[in-house]
Amino acid sequence: MLEHYCTSLTARFLHLLVGGLLILTALPAATDPLPPPEGPPLLRIEGTIAHTNVGDEAHFDRQMLAALPPRKLATSTVVTDGINHFEGFLMRDLLARVGAEGDTVVATALNDYVVEIPREDFREFDVVVATHMDGEALTPRDKGPLWIVYPRDDHDELQDIRYDYRWVWQLEHLEIQ
Amino acid sequence: MTFALRRRPAHLLPVVAVVAFAAFLGFSLFRLFQVEQDMRVNVSENMLWVITQAQVASHRLDEEVHRRVLGDEQVRPALRHDILASRLVLLDEGPQRRYLADIGFADPVDDAFEALVAIEPLLEDLQPGHYSAADAIHQRLKPVMMSLNRIANAVMIEGWEHTGERLDRHRRSLVQVIASVVGILLSGLLLAFLLIKAIRQRLAAQQLERSLVQERQISDFYRSFAAMVSHQFRTPLAVIDSSLQRLIRRGERMPPNERQTRYERVRDAVAQMTRLVDNSLTTARLDGGQVTVAPARHDLREIAEQVCRLQQEAAGRDRIDLEGPSRLAVCCDRSLAEQIMANLIANALKYSPEDTRVSVHLTRHADRAGCHIQDRGIGIADQDLPHLFERYFRARNATSTQGIGLGLHIARHLARLQNGDITVTSRMNVGTTMTLTLPLADKEATTP
């Protein structure tokens, strides 16, 4: 009788243990270390970040960026006509993925355009790093491969030149300070 | 103290409104002027031009150095070097230098100058094929190019920030101006409202004044009427009293004709007072608009004949000559016409000697009928003529005879009520002609 009772307890304990382990493995990938990129890197991130995969930088290729939670954004821009439909990921999701700690994000483009963006922007607004616009992948020949896009139509305060210059196209490098 | 306080509110609101109007207007004009002045400043745009020119110059130097060593004899690296130097000089001057210092990029310009100084001797080695010379120049030039790129980037961003702030300032100014304009509108409306109120008050005051004048006139009328009546009544009342007194005392001992005279004197006095009351009543009715006029077709000759007959009976003498057409149809109120004629004829008889005759001459002229009553009596002075038809007026030479001055005033009023009139011509001590005009009756009109 006691044996049977003890066996039941152990079984329950084992169940709990396995369940717990399963739950742990199902936790968000944010706590996972970064795998090294397999394809050519689209985006390099350095600075005060927790996860790196190449030296003290975090390199992302297209698949790694696609692994981030996808996000859609429809808004007009100051350099195009009409409303454009963007697909990509949220900047704050990317920053969480690399465990960024810092208040400023310095973004650099392929043509050496540099701008400092306060991290507050990404907390307050759903800023998207776009990989596709209107169904087509962005390329370096036209604002690609990555374009920082703000939800301009959704907020009155974003309709200001002082936010417009933070829309970095041909994004290739981020430094977290 | 309380009196002064009650006075102040009358002036306070308009003054406040005017001051507010002027203040809002002045303020919005001031703000607009400020914005206009601000729009003349273009520091950021100039700076961007200067820095991009420097960038271009640095790249062209680099390009022409390399073209030369590749064999291009057309290029002029020395000139490019000078031009780049000139751009750096521009960056190092006055407003540009201050601008760069403000955004923290003053040192790169100094470094660029040093690099150019180092590059200058290297330019002499530039010959086709001398790749190492080109390389040496490039090594010195590359940091300059990168630094100029960074400066351009910073100037661009600074320019955007500056523009954004400027737009904010202008937006704020505009909002203030809009608010001021609303203020102007409101104070303008207030002023308009106050103006309308003042005009209305003025009109009301004028209305009050008119009413006051009217009331004064009425009270004047009653005052002078009371005076007139009390004066005029005294005489006949005195006559009645004295006659009756004498009759009471010595009536039985009086001879019959003397008694008769006294009786008649009493009756005359009573008649006089009755006339006085009637005239006053008529006047009062005229004033109150209670006289009814019933114009109809009548024969003026017939009316004249009747009135003359009555007057002659009252006077006891045949003094009236009636002339004119045997029929004269007019449109009038019979009883009023009778009253007027009776009044005029009675006057004529009264103001002329008993042995003279009074002529009543009927005429027809255009669409008017005329009744001219002429006497050969005391006449009326020229200066009295204009005032003849005024209430209570008695000509200076008529004051001895009995009666009050109501007759002519009433007569003319009654004539005018029937679309007629009374006019007068006269000469002192020669005679007077009073003319009553009335509209002729239509030939088609029927007697009601």
Side-chain angles (χ1 to χ4, degrees), chain B residues 16-59:
Chain B
V16 165
V18 168
V19 166
F21 189 90
F24 282 129
L25 190 60
F27 176 72
S28 21
L29 284 175
F30 171 68
R31 272 278 178 267
L32 288 172
F33 179 72
Q34 264 188 334
V35 168
E36 196 268 344
Q37 288 294 101
D38 187 64
M39 283 178 174
R40 292 164 187 255
V41 177
N42 280 317
V43 172
S44 304
E45 286 78 0
N46 292 341
M47 199 56 211
L48 197 60
W49 167 248
V50 167
I51 194 69
T52 52
Q53 284 297 292
Q55 276 181 297
V56 166
S58 68
H59 286 285

mmCIF file of all heavy atoms in Angstrom, chain B residues 16-59:
data_model
loop_
_atom_site.group_PDB
_atom_site.id
_atom_site.type_symbol
_atom_site.label_atom_id
_atom_site.label_comp_id
_atom_site.label_asym_id
_atom_site.label_seq_id
_atom_site.Cartn_x
_atom_site.Cartn_y
_atom_site.Cartn_z
ATOM 1 N N VAL B 16 -13.272 99.061 -21.772
ATOM 2 C CA VAL B 16 -12.662 97.726 -21.757
ATOM 3 C C VAL B 16 -12.680 97.116 -23.154
ATOM 4 O O VAL B 16 -11.682 96.558 -23.619
ATOM 5 C CB VAL B 16 -13.394 96.808 -20.752
ATOM 6 C CG1 VAL B 16 -13.039 95.356 -20.986
ATOM 7 C CG2 VAL B 16 -13.059 97.190 -19.328
ATOM 8 N N ALA B 17 -13.820 97.263 -23.824
ATOM 9 C CA ALA B 17 -13.946 96.676 -25.163
ATOM 10 C C ALA B 17 -12.953 97.295 -26.134
ATOM 11 O O ALA B 17 -12.281 96.596 -26.892
ATOM 12 C CB ALA B 17 -15.371 96.864 -25.682
ATOM 13 N N VAL B 18 -12.837 98.626 -26.082
ATOM 14 C CA VAL B 18 -11.917 99.303 -26.989
ATOM 15 C C VAL B 18 -10.479 98.900 -26.688
ATOM 16 O O VAL B 18 -9.691 98.600 -27.581
ATOM 17 C CB VAL B 18 -12.078 100.834 -26.891
ATOM 18 C CG1 VAL B 18 -10.946 101.525 -27.603
ATOM 19 C CG2 VAL B 18 -13.411 101.255 -27.476
ATOM 20 N N VAL B 19 -10.148 98.876 -25.397
ATOM 21 C CA VAL B 19 -8.782 98.513 -25.007
ATOM 22 C C VAL B 19 -8.467 97.084 -25.442
ATOM 23 O O VAL B 19 -7.407 96.801 -25.995
ATOM 24 C CB VAL B 19 -8.600 98.688 -23.478
ATOM 25 C CG1 VAL B 19 -7.328 98.000 -23.020
ATOM 26 C CG2 VAL B 19 -8.559 100.152 -23.107
ATOM 27 N N ALA B 20 -9.422 96.191 -25.206
ATOM 28 C CA ALA B 20 -9.211 94.789 -25.595
ATOM 29 C C ALA B 20 -9.014 94.681 -27.099
ATOM 30 O O ALA B 20 -8.106 93.996 -27.579
ATOM 31 C CB ALA B 20 -10.412 93.949 -25.158
ATOM 32 N N PHE B 21 -9.864 95.368 -27.849
ATOM 33 C CA PHE B 21 -9.771 95.363 -29.308
ATOM 34 C C PHE B 21 -8.383 95.804 -29.749
ATOM 35 O O PHE B 21 -7.714 95.131 -30.543
ATOM 36 C CB PHE B 21 -10.850 96.302 -29.864
ATOM 37 C CG PHE B 21 -11.009 96.234 -31.347
ATOM 38 C CD1 PHE B 21 -11.893 95.338 -31.925
ATOM 39 C CD2 PHE B 21 -10.288 97.083 -32.165
ATOM 40 C CE1 PHE B 21 -12.045 95.284 -33.292
ATOM 41 C CE2 PHE B 21 -10.433 97.026 -33.537
ATOM 42 C CZ PHE B 21 -11.317 96.133 -34.099
ATOM 43 N N ALA B 22 -7.952 96.950 -29.217
ATOM 44 C CA ALA B 22 -6.655 97.494 -29.606
ATOM 45 C C ALA B 22 -5.520 96.560 -29.190
ATOM 46 O O ALA B 22 -4.575 96.336 -29.958
ATOM 47 C CB ALA B 22 -6.464 98.881 -28.981
ATOM 48 N N ALA B 23 -5.641 95.989 -27.989
ATOM 49 C CA ALA B 23 -4.575 95.119 -27.486
ATOM 50 C C ALA B 23 -4.445 93.871 -28.362
ATOM 51 O O ALA B 23 -3.347 93.493 -28.775
ATOM 52 C CB ALA B 23 -4.866 94.723 -26.042
ATOM 53 N N PHE B 24 -5.568 93.227 -28.664
ATOM 54 C CA PHE B 24 -5.527 92.023 -29.494
ATOM 55 C C PHE B 24 -4.955 92.340 -30.866
ATOM 56 O O PHE B 24 -4.138 91.591 -31.413
ATOM 57 C CB PHE B 24 -6.941 91.440 -29.655
ATOM 58 C CG PHE B 24 -7.412 90.669 -28.446
ATOM 59 C CD1 PHE B 24 -8.637 90.931 -27.868
ATOM 60 C CD2 PHE B 24 -6.609 89.685 -27.883
ATOM 61 C CE1 PHE B 24 -9.067 90.232 -26.761
ATOM 62 C CE2 PHE B 24 -7.029 88.974 -26.771
ATOM 63 C CZ PHE B 24 -8.270 89.259 -26.210
ATOM 64 N N LEU B 25 -5.423 93.462 -31.413
ATOM 65 C CA LEU B 25 -4.962 93.842 -32.745
ATOM 66 C C LEU B 25 -3.461 94.084 -32.736
ATOM 67 O O LEU B 25 -2.722 93.573 -33.581
ATOM 68 C CB LEU B 25 -5.724 95.100 -33.189
ATOM 69 C CG LEU B 25 -5.545 95.509 -34.640
ATOM 70 C CD1 LEU B 25 -6.015 94.388 -35.549
ATOM 71 C CD2 LEU B 25 -6.324 96.772 -34.906
ATOM 72 N N GLY B 26 -3.013 94.875 -31.753
ATOM 73 C CA GLY B 26 -1.590 95.178 -31.649
ATOM 74 C C GLY B 26 -0.756 93.926 -31.474
ATOM 75 O O GLY B 26 0.274 93.738 -32.128
ATOM 76 N N PHE B 27 -1.240 93.029 -30.613
ATOM 77 C CA PHE B 27 -0.492 91.810 -30.349
ATOM 78 C C PHE B 27 -0.374 90.944 -31.595
ATOM 79 O O PHE B 27 0.704 90.421 -31.910
ATOM 80 C CB PHE B 27 -1.165 91.017 -29.218
ATOM 81 C CG PHE B 27 -0.539 89.705 -28.940
ATOM 82 C CD1 PHE B 27 0.694 89.631 -28.318
ATOM 83 C CD2 PHE B 27 -1.151 88.535 -29.334
ATOM 84 C CE1 PHE B 27 1.299 88.410 -28.070
ATOM 85 C CE2 PHE B 27 -0.549 87.312 -29.091
ATOM 86 C CZ PHE B 27 0.672 87.251 -28.453
ATOM 87 N N SER B 28 -1.484 90.753 -32.310
ATOM 88 C CA SER B 28 -1.406 89.888 -33.497
ATOM 89 C C SER B 28 -0.513 90.507 -34.567
ATOM 90 O O SER B 28 0.239 89.792 -35.235
ATOM 91 C CB SER B 28 -2.778 89.577 -34.080
ATOM 92 O OG SER B 28 -3.722 90.488 -33.693
ATOM 93 N N LEU B 29 -0.585 91.833 -34.712
ATOM 94 C CA LEU B 29 0.286 92.475 -35.691
ATOM 95 C C LEU B 29 1.745 92.255 -35.321
ATOM 96 O O LEU B 29 2.587 91.966 -36.181
ATOM 97 C CB LEU B 29 -0.011 93.975 -35.766
ATOM 98 C CG LEU B 29 -1.293 94.339 -36.531
ATOM 99 C CD1 LEU B 29 -1.545 95.826 -36.427
ATOM 100 C CD2 LEU B 29 -1.178 93.914 -37.973
ATOM 101 N N PHE B 30 2.036 92.388 -34.002
ATOM 102 C CA PHE B 30 3.401 92.208 -33.530
ATOM 103 C C PHE B 30 3.900 90.800 -33.836
ATOM 104 O O PHE B 30 4.998 90.590 -34.363
ATOM 105 C CB PHE B 30 3.443 92.491 -32.028
ATOM 106 C CG PHE B 30 4.746 92.146 -31.379
ATOM 107 C CD1 PHE B 30 5.894 92.856 -31.668
ATOM 108 C CD2 PHE B 30 4.837 91.092 -30.486
ATOM 109 C CE1 PHE B 30 7.099 92.534 -31.078
ATOM 110 C CE2 PHE B 30 6.038 90.765 -29.893
ATOM 111 C CZ PHE B 30 7.178 91.480 -30.187
ATOM 112 N N ARG B 31 3.076 89.800 -33.522
ATOM 113 C CA ARG B 31 3.475 88.405 -33.768
ATOM 114 C C ARG B 31 3.714 88.132 -35.239
ATOM 115 O O ARG B 31 4.669 87.482 -35.643
ATOM 116 C CB ARG B 31 2.380 87.455 -33.251
ATOM 117 C CG ARG B 31 2.521 87.063 -31.813
ATOM 118 C CD ARG B 31 3.525 85.930 -31.620
ATOM 119 N NE ARG B 31 3.688 85.606 -30.212
ATOM 120 C CZ ARG B 31 4.641 86.139 -29.440
ATOM 121 N NH1 ARG B 31 5.483 87.000 -29.945
ATOM 122 N NH2 ARG B 31 4.709 85.800 -28.188
ATOM 123 N N LEU B 32 2.792 88.641 -36.065
ATOM 124 C CA LEU B 32 2.916 88.432 -37.507
ATOM 125 C C LEU B 32 4.210 89.063 -38.016
ATOM 126 O O LEU B 32 4.900 88.486 -38.860
ATOM 127 C CB LEU B 32 1.707 89.030 -38.233
ATOM 128 C CG LEU B 32 0.395 88.253 -38.056
ATOM 129 C CD1 LEU B 32 -0.759 89.027 -38.655
ATOM 130 C CD2 LEU B 32 0.487 86.886 -38.691
ATOM 131 N N PHE B 33 4.512 90.251 -37.495
ATOM 132 C CA PHE B 33 5.737 90.926 -37.895
ATOM 133 C C PHE B 33 6.952 90.088 -37.516
ATOM 134 O O PHE B 33 7.891 89.915 -38.301
ATOM 135 C CB PHE B 33 5.796 92.301 -37.224
ATOM 136 C CG PHE B 33 7.019 93.080 -37.547
ATOM 137 C CD1 PHE B 33 7.203 93.637 -38.789
ATOM 138 C CD2 PHE B 33 8.020 93.255 -36.586
ATOM 139 C CE1 PHE B 33 8.344 94.354 -39.095
ATOM 140 C CE2 PHE B 33 9.151 93.977 -36.887
ATOM 141 C CZ PHE B 33 9.322 94.522 -38.143
ATOM 142 N N GLN B 34 6.903 89.549 -36.287
ATOM 143 C CA GLN B 34 8.000 88.692 -35.829
ATOM 144 C C GLN B 34 8.216 87.508 -36.759
ATOM 145 O O GLN B 34 9.344 87.190 -37.141
ATOM 146 C CB GLN B 34 7.666 88.139 -34.431
ATOM 147 C CG GLN B 34 8.248 88.910 -33.304
ATOM 148 C CD GLN B 34 8.037 88.184 -31.985
ATOM 149 O OE1 GLN B 34 7.108 87.407 -31.832
ATOM 150 N NE2 GLN B 34 8.894 88.433 -31.030
ATOM 151 N N VAL B 35 7.107 86.830 -37.116
ATOM 152 C CA VAL B 35 7.216 85.660 -37.989
ATOM 153 C C VAL B 35 7.827 86.065 -39.327
ATOM 154 O O VAL B 35 8.699 85.379 -39.872
ATOM 155 C CB VAL B 35 5.828 85.021 -38.195
ATOM 156 C CG1 VAL B 35 5.860 84.001 -39.301
ATOM 157 C CG2 VAL B 35 5.343 84.376 -36.907
ATOM 158 N N GLU B 36 7.368 87.217 -39.830
ATOM 159 C CA GLU B 36 7.883 87.680 -41.122
ATOM 160 C C GLU B 36 9.377 87.921 -41.042
ATOM 161 O O GLU B 36 10.129 87.549 -41.937
ATOM 162 C CB GLU B 36 7.127 88.955 -41.510
ATOM 163 C CG GLU B 36 7.275 89.346 -42.972
ATOM 164 C CD GLU B 36 8.422 90.297 -43.219
ATOM 165 O OE1 GLU B 36 8.899 90.890 -42.230
ATOM 166 O OE2 GLU B 36 8.844 90.434 -44.368
ATOM 167 N N GLN B 37 9.813 88.558 -39.941
ATOM 168 C CA GLN B 37 11.237 88.804 -39.770
ATOM 169 C C GLN B 37 12.007 87.491 -39.713
ATOM 170 O O GLN B 37 13.076 87.366 -40.310
ATOM 171 C CB GLN B 37 11.486 89.590 -38.461
ATOM 172 C CG GLN B 37 11.055 91.038 -38.530
ATOM 173 C CD GLN B 37 11.888 91.844 -39.505
ATOM 174 O OE1 GLN B 37 11.472 92.116 -40.622
ATOM 175 N NE2 GLN B 37 13.074 92.222 -39.090
ATOM 176 N N ASP B 38 11.470 86.523 -38.980
ATOM 177 C CA ASP B 38 12.153 85.249 -38.804
ATOM 178 C C ASP B 38 12.329 84.523 -40.130
ATOM 179 O O ASP B 38 13.293 83.796 -40.341
ATOM 180 C CB ASP B 38 11.363 84.366 -37.816
ATOM 181 C CG ASP B 38 12.108 83.111 -37.467
ATOM 182 O OD1 ASP B 38 13.184 83.246 -36.863
ATOM 183 O OD2 ASP B 38 11.632 82.020 -37.808
ATOM 184 N N MET B 39 11.355 84.722 -41.013
ATOM 185 C CA MET B 39 11.422 84.019 -42.294
ATOM 186 C C MET B 39 12.582 84.496 -43.158
ATOM 187 O O MET B 39 12.911 83.858 -44.159
ATOM 188 C CB MET B 39 10.113 84.239 -43.059
ATOM 189 C CG MET B 39 8.972 83.399 -42.548
ATOM 190 S SD MET B 39 7.483 83.764 -43.463
ATOM 191 C CE MET B 39 6.406 82.545 -42.788
ATOM 192 N N ARG B 40 13.171 85.640 -42.811
ATOM 193 C CA ARG B 40 14.266 86.132 -43.649
ATOM 194 C C ARG B 40 15.592 85.435 -43.372
ATOM 195 O O ARG B 40 16.547 85.596 -44.122
ATOM 196 C CB ARG B 40 14.451 87.625 -43.389
ATOM 197 C CG ARG B 40 13.285 88.441 -43.894
ATOM 198 C CD ARG B 40 13.311 89.838 -43.277
ATOM 199 N NE ARG B 40 12.104 90.537 -43.635
ATOM 200 C CZ ARG B 40 12.055 91.499 -44.555
ATOM 201 N NH1 ARG B 40 13.148 91.871 -45.169
ATOM 202 N NH2 ARG B 40 10.921 92.082 -44.839
ATOM 203 N N VAL B 41 15.652 84.675 -42.278
ATOM 204 C CA VAL B 41 16.923 84.066 -41.868
ATOM 205 C C VAL B 41 17.056 82.685 -42.480
ATOM 206 O O VAL B 41 16.143 81.881 -42.432
ATOM 207 C CB VAL B 41 16.979 83.984 -40.336
ATOM 208 C CG1 VAL B 41 18.248 83.295 -39.880
ATOM 209 C CG2 VAL B 41 16.878 85.375 -39.736
ATOM 210 N N ASN B 42 18.213 82.357 -43.060
ATOM 211 C CA ASN B 42 18.402 81.077 -43.759
ATOM 212 C C ASN B 42 19.723 80.421 -43.452
ATOM 213 O O ASN B 42 20.361 79.849 -44.332
ATOM 214 C CB ASN B 42 18.328 81.300 -45.271
ATOM 215 C CG ASN B 42 16.897 81.400 -45.735
ATOM 216 O OD1 ASN B 42 16.060 80.615 -45.294
ATOM 217 N ND2 ASN B 42 16.610 82.342 -46.586
ATOM 218 N N VAL B 43 20.131 80.495 -42.197
ATOM 219 C CA VAL B 43 21.471 80.008 -41.843
ATOM 220 C C VAL B 43 21.691 78.562 -42.241
ATOM 221 O O VAL B 43 22.694 78.226 -42.857
ATOM 222 C CB VAL B 43 21.693 80.177 -40.320
ATOM 223 C CG1 VAL B 43 22.976 79.500 -39.888
ATOM 224 C CG2 VAL B 43 21.734 81.646 -39.968
ATOM 225 N N SER B 44 20.740 77.685 -41.894
ATOM 226 C CA SER B 44 20.935 76.245 -42.153
ATOM 227 C C SER B 44 21.117 75.952 -43.631
ATOM 228 O O SER B 44 21.983 75.185 -44.014
ATOM 229 C CB SER B 44 19.727 75.459 -41.656
ATOM 230 O OG SER B 44 19.521 75.727 -40.310
ATOM 231 N N GLU B 45 20.292 76.604 -44.466
ATOM 232 C CA GLU B 45 20.367 76.320 -45.893
ATOM 233 C C GLU B 45 21.725 76.728 -46.447
ATOM 234 O O GLU B 45 22.322 76.016 -47.247
ATOM 235 C CB GLU B 45 19.255 77.071 -46.642
ATOM 236 C CG GLU B 45 17.868 76.466 -46.451
ATOM 237 C CD GLU B 45 17.227 76.826 -45.106
ATOM 238 O OE1 GLU B 45 17.860 77.556 -44.306
ATOM 239 O OE2 GLU B 45 16.108 76.371 -44.844
ATOM 240 N N ASN B 46 22.237 77.864 -46.026
ATOM 241 C CA ASN B 46 23.562 78.289 -46.507
ATOM 242 C C ASN B 46 24.635 77.297 -46.119
ATOM 243 O O ASN B 46 25.491 76.942 -46.920
ATOM 244 C CB ASN B 46 23.916 79.666 -45.911
ATOM 245 C CG ASN B 46 23.026 80.751 -46.462
ATOM 246 O OD1 ASN B 46 22.414 80.556 -47.504
ATOM 247 N ND2 ASN B 46 22.958 81.856 -45.762
ATOM 248 N N MET B 47 24.568 76.858 -44.860
ATOM 249 C CA MET B 47 25.594 75.964 -44.335
ATOM 250 C C MET B 47 25.627 74.660 -45.116
ATOM 251 O O MET B 47 26.687 74.132 -45.435
ATOM 252 C CB MET B 47 25.279 75.680 -42.845
ATOM 253 C CG MET B 47 26.449 75.171 -42.068
ATOM 254 S SD MET B 47 27.838 76.299 -42.176
ATOM 255 C CE MET B 47 29.156 75.096 -42.046
ATOM 256 N N LEU B 48 24.454 74.161 -45.440
ATOM 257 C CA LEU B 48 24.398 72.895 -46.157
ATOM 258 C C LEU B 48 25.026 73.024 -47.536
ATOM 259 O O LEU B 48 25.750 72.132 -47.990
ATOM 260 C CB LEU B 48 22.932 72.458 -46.288
ATOM 261 C CG LEU B 48 22.740 70.988 -46.652
ATOM 262 C CD1 LEU B 48 23.361 70.101 -45.601
ATOM 263 C CD2 LEU B 48 21.270 70.686 -46.817
ATOM 264 N N TRP B 49 24.798 74.139 -48.153
ATOM 265 C CA TRP B 49 25.383 74.380 -49.472
ATOM 266 C C TRP B 49 26.903 74.382 -49.364
ATOM 267 O O TRP B 49 27.594 73.731 -50.149
ATOM 268 C CB TRP B 49 24.874 75.716 -50.019
ATOM 269 C CG TRP B 49 25.627 76.218 -51.215
ATOM 270 C CD1 TRP B 49 26.426 77.299 -51.265
ATOM 271 C CD2 TRP B 49 25.625 75.643 -52.518
ATOM 272 N NE1 TRP B 49 26.949 77.452 -52.521
ATOM 273 C CE2 TRP B 49 26.482 76.438 -53.320
ATOM 274 C CE3 TRP B 49 25.000 74.534 -53.101
ATOM 275 C CZ2 TRP B 49 26.710 76.184 -54.660
ATOM 276 C CZ3 TRP B 49 25.248 74.286 -54.443
ATOM 277 C CH2 TRP B 49 26.085 75.100 -55.217
ATOM 278 N N VAL B 50 27.396 75.102 -48.391
ATOM 279 C CA VAL B 50 28.851 75.228 -48.229
ATOM 280 C C VAL B 50 29.485 73.862 -48.000
ATOM 281 O O VAL B 50 30.501 73.517 -48.615
ATOM 282 C CB VAL B 50 29.162 76.174 -47.036
ATOM 283 C CG1 VAL B 50 30.617 76.086 -46.638
ATOM 284 C CG2 VAL B 50 28.771 77.597 -47.377
ATOM 285 N N ILE B 51 28.894 73.066 -47.127
ATOM 286 C CA ILE B 51 29.522 71.786 -46.781
ATOM 287 C C ILE B 51 29.456 70.797 -47.951
ATOM 288 O O ILE B 51 30.406 70.053 -48.205
ATOM 289 C CB ILE B 51 28.893 71.197 -45.490
ATOM 290 C CG1 ILE B 51 29.756 70.066 -44.938
ATOM 291 C CG2 ILE B 51 27.499 70.703 -45.702
ATOM 292 C CD1 ILE B 51 31.059 70.523 -44.379
ATOM 293 N N THR B 52 28.347 70.799 -48.683
ATOM 294 C CA THR B 52 28.277 69.863 -49.811
ATOM 295 C C THR B 52 29.262 70.278 -50.900
ATOM 296 O O THR B 52 29.844 69.434 -51.579
ATOM 297 C CB THR B 52 26.862 69.777 -50.403
ATOM 298 O OG1 THR B 52 26.393 71.085 -50.697
ATOM 299 C CG2 THR B 52 25.922 69.085 -49.445
ATOM 300 N N GLN B 53 29.478 71.567 -51.049
ATOM 301 C CA GLN B 53 30.483 72.037 -51.999
ATOM 302 C C GLN B 53 31.870 71.531 -51.601
ATOM 303 O O GLN B 53 32.671 71.132 -52.463
ATOM 304 C CB GLN B 53 30.488 73.568 -52.066
ATOM 305 C CG GLN B 53 29.319 74.137 -52.852
ATOM 306 C CD GLN B 53 29.363 73.696 -54.298
ATOM 307 O OE1 GLN B 53 30.237 74.077 -55.064
ATOM 308 N NE2 GLN B 53 28.447 72.832 -54.663
ATOM 309 N N ALA B 54 32.151 71.565 -50.325
ATOM 310 C CA ALA B 54 33.461 71.084 -49.849
ATOM 311 C C ALA B 54 33.588 69.584 -50.120
ATOM 312 O O ALA B 54 34.650 69.108 -50.559
ATOM 313 C CB ALA B 54 33.608 71.385 -48.356
ATOM 314 N N GLN B 55 32.485 68.850 -49.874
ATOM 315 C CA GLN B 55 32.506 67.400 -50.152
ATOM 316 C C GLN B 55 32.824 67.138 -51.612
ATOM 317 O O GLN B 55 33.679 66.319 -51.944
ATOM 318 C CB GLN B 55 31.127 66.786 -49.857
ATOM 319 C CG GLN B 55 30.872 66.409 -48.433
ATOM 320 C CD GLN B 55 29.488 65.784 -48.294
ATOM 321 O OE1 GLN B 55 28.496 66.451 -48.559
ATOM 322 N NE2 GLN B 55 29.436 64.539 -47.898
ATOM 323 N N VAL B 56 32.077 67.842 -52.468
ATOM 324 C CA VAL B 56 32.285 67.657 -53.911
ATOM 325 C C VAL B 56 33.733 67.955 -54.280
ATOM 326 O O VAL B 56 34.362 67.218 -55.047
ATOM 327 C CB VAL B 56 31.324 68.555 -54.708
ATOM 328 C CG1 VAL B 56 31.733 68.641 -56.168
ATOM 329 C CG2 VAL B 56 29.899 68.039 -54.584
ATOM 330 N N ALA B 57 34.283 69.045 -53.728
ATOM 331 C CA ALA B 57 35.655 69.435 -54.049
ATOM 332 C C ALA B 57 36.631 68.346 -53.640
ATOM 333 O O ALA B 57 37.584 68.037 -54.384
ATOM 334 C CB ALA B 57 35.984 70.756 -53.358
ATOM 335 N N SER B 58 36.398 67.740 -52.481
ATOM 336 C CA SER B 58 37.333 66.707 -52.007
ATOM 337 C C SER B 58 37.266 65.480 -52.905
ATOM 338 O O SER B 58 38.313 64.894 -53.251
ATOM 339 C CB SER B 58 37.012 66.329 -50.553
ATOM 340 O OG SER B 58 35.778 65.649 -50.465
ATOM 341 N N HIS B 59 36.072 65.120 -53.343
ATOM 342 C CA HIS B 59 35.945 63.944 -54.206
ATOM 343 C C HIS B 59 36.535 64.205 -55.585
ATOM 344 O O HIS B 59 37.137 63.322 -56.195
ATOM 345 C CB HIS B 59 34.473 63.527 -54.323
ATOM 346 C CG HIS B 59 33.956 62.863 -53.073
ATOM 347 N ND1 HIS B 59 34.287 61.580 -52.722
ATOM 348 C CD2 HIS B 59 33.156 63.340 -52.097
ATOM 349 C CE1 HIS B 59 33.696 61.279 -51.565
ATOM 350 N NE2 HIS B 59 33.007 62.333 -51.167
#
